[in-house]
Amino acid sequence: MNFQAVPLFLSEIAPTRIRGGLNILFQLNVTIGILFANLVNYGTAKIKGGWGWRVSLGLAGIPAALLTIGALLVVDTPNSLIERGRLDEGKAVLRKIRGTDNIEPEFLELVEASRVAKQVKHPFRNLLMRRNRPQLVIAVALQIFQQFTGINAIMFYAPVLFDTVGFGNNASLYSAVITGAVNLVSTIISIYSVDKAGRRLLLLEAGVQMFLAQVAVAIILGIKVKDHSNYLSHGFAIFVVILICTFVSAFAWSWGPLGWLIPSEIFPLETRSAGQSVTVCVNLLFTFVIAQAFLSMLCHFKFGIFLFFSGWVLVMSIFVLFLVPETKNVPIEEITQKVWKQHWLWKRFMDEETENGIGDEAKKDGFDPNSQL
């Protein structure tokens, strides 16, 4: 539910210039939560008597209660209020979150987008229409690729490798703390860079970084670790741990948060909720697929599992290079005009939009919200 509603909510309320950073702030809090959860689980596992899991499970009720209270306090987005006909409330909320009274152009743009959205009676069916295929293809592909980066393989191997370095029984704790800390710091980097460097640059740079790290890990494990031996020298083990941190950092400032950010901002208002629902569904489906297949793949591929995932990283980087447009600093209500209609391939799918009178209506009678802003 959080991954369905929160990225969508943040994308709708955030000012364009900080939309990416504000959205990734959600991912930062997720990484903090994961780190604390790992520490709590490790601590409760040390409780004698085998009842520590009850404490761990009970403590999970604290963030659940905070989420419930927060949900009661948070306001609806201007988009949601306007779409339900509550124009005055929508304008008041927009004025509040923008901190200025000069919100009329943006308000009129939201009203027009809402009018267009109300023409769509079946949003899920509308997702399959020609003009919505670019958004659907990119959103689905990003979720599949996110799971095929191999992040699960890295996290699976981490405790074993930390044990090899010499952490012994504390390997799981150090693994959770070190990879969690790297994940946390890298997500902070993403917050500050996503609206400056852009989405594409982060994805492409991370693709190169993850590819090289996984190939290097595969080579080291393939040469140094044999079928009947788990020996890995101290020096090589430390190097592999560094490579793991290199991979985790790249994922944390790119495919991790951007896999949720980009789908939340590319769909038009009339299919935004439906599109985000499909995004979450595909992500959970392939998370399940990878989780079920990973151990069998590991037994058959051994160190080759890293080569398998590095091949996918290469494929997804090529996909980003040619098919994922840049949405940095583009208002989400203007992405069709400024992004899709300017893309070398996806602009071919936008012809139907003009035929149906959707999109160009926003500029009828000489009204152009962007120029007024």
Side-chain angles (χ1 to χ4, degrees), residues 206-218:
V208 174
Q209 188 171 325
M210 290 189 295
F211 177 82
L212 294 177
Q214 286 185 316
V215 170
V217 170

Side-chain angles (χ1 to χ4, degrees), residues 260-279:
W260 297 107
L261 169 62
I262 294 176
S264 72
E265 61 186 7
I266 61 176
F267 285 99
L269 181 60
E270 62 266 21
T271 57
R272 193 169 299 155
S273 295
Q276 190 69 8
S277 298
V278 172
T279 297

Side-chain angles (χ1 to χ4, degrees), residues 66 68 104 108 115 159 167 170 210 244 252 263 270 276 338 341 351:
L66 293 176
T68 303
E104 195 66 23
L108 293 176
R115 184 194 66 79
F167 291 140
N170 292 322
M210 290 189 295
I244 288 176
E270 62 266 21
Q276 190 69 8
K338 294 187 175 181
K341 288 190 174 182
D351 296 338

Side-chain angles (χ1 to χ4, degrees), residues 83-128:
E83 192 168 8
R84 287 180 284 164
R86 297 156 63 178
L87 301 183
D88 292 337
E89 292 181 54
K91 179 180 284 190
V93 172
L94 185 62
R95 185 181 294 110
K96 180 179 179 180
I97 63 178
R98 294 293 183 260
T100 178
D101 292 329
N102 186 26
I103 47 89
E104 195 66 23
E106 185 177 1
F107 174 73
L108 293 176
E109 185 176 358
L110 293 178
V111 171
E112 176 59 26
S114 176
R115 184 194 66 79
V116 173
K118 288 180 179 179
Q119 297 176 355
V120 179
K121 303 301 181 183
H122 305 284
F124 281 97
R125 186 188 305 171
N126 197 59
L127 274 176
L128 301 178

Side-chain angles (χ1 to χ4, degrees), residues 115-304:
R115 184 194 66 79
V116 173
K118 288 180 179 179
Q119 297 176 355
V120 179
K121 303 301 181 183
H122 305 284
F124 281 97
R125 186 188 305 171
N126 197 59
L127 274 176
L128 301 178
M129 296 180 68
R130 180 179 173 83
R131 66 173 179 274
N132 291 320
R133 287 177 194 169
Q135 300 95 316
L136 184 61
V137 168
I138 290 177
V140 170
L142 288 180
Q143 301 313 304
I144 297 174
F145 288 151
Q146 187 188 69
Q147 298 307 311
F148 277 90
T149 55
I151 187 67
N152 291 329
I154 291 292
M155 293 304 183
F156 178 84
Y157 259 105
V160 177
L161 293 170
F162 278 87
D163 185 26
T164 305
V165 171
F167 291 140
N169 294 330
N170 292 322
S172 296
L173 172 62
Y174 283 106
S175 170
V177 172
I178 293 178
T179 57
V182 170
N183 199 3
L184 180 63
V185 173
S186 300
T187 305
I188 295 175
I189 294 174
S190 181
I191 291 174
Y192 286 99
S193 60
V194 67
D195 289 312
K196 296 179 180 179
R199 285 71 163 149
R200 278 169 49 85
L201 181 61
L202 286 180
L203 290 172
L204 292 172
E205 185 280 331
V208 174
Q209 188 171 325
M210 290 189 295
F211 177 82
L212 294 177
Q214 286 185 316
V215 170
V217 170
I219 292 174
I220 292 174
L221 295 182
I223 295 176
K224 295 296 181 180
V225 179
K226 305 302 180 182
D227 289 346
H228 303 290
S229 171
N230 60 356
Y231 175 74
L232 190 63
S233 67
H234 185 77
F236 276 112
I238 292 178
F239 183 50
V240 170
V241 169
I242 293 174
L243 291 174
I244 288 176
C245 293
T246 301
F247 174 87
V248 171
S249 65
F251 179 85
W253 69 50
S254 62
W255 285 92
L258 296 182
W260 297 107
L261 169 62
I262 294 176
S264 72
E265 61 186 7
I266 61 176
F267 285 99
L269 181 60
E270 62 266 21
T271 57
R272 193 169 299 155
S273 295
Q276 190 69 8
S277 298
V278 172
T279 297
V280 175
C281 179
V282 172
N283 184 278
L284 295 178
L285 173 62
F286 278 87
T287 299
F288 172 79
V289 170
I290 292 296
Q292 294 299 312
F294 174 72
L295 288 178
S296 296
M297 293 170 61
L298 183 61
C299 292
H300 288 85
F301 291 172
K302 298 182 175 62
F303 67 88

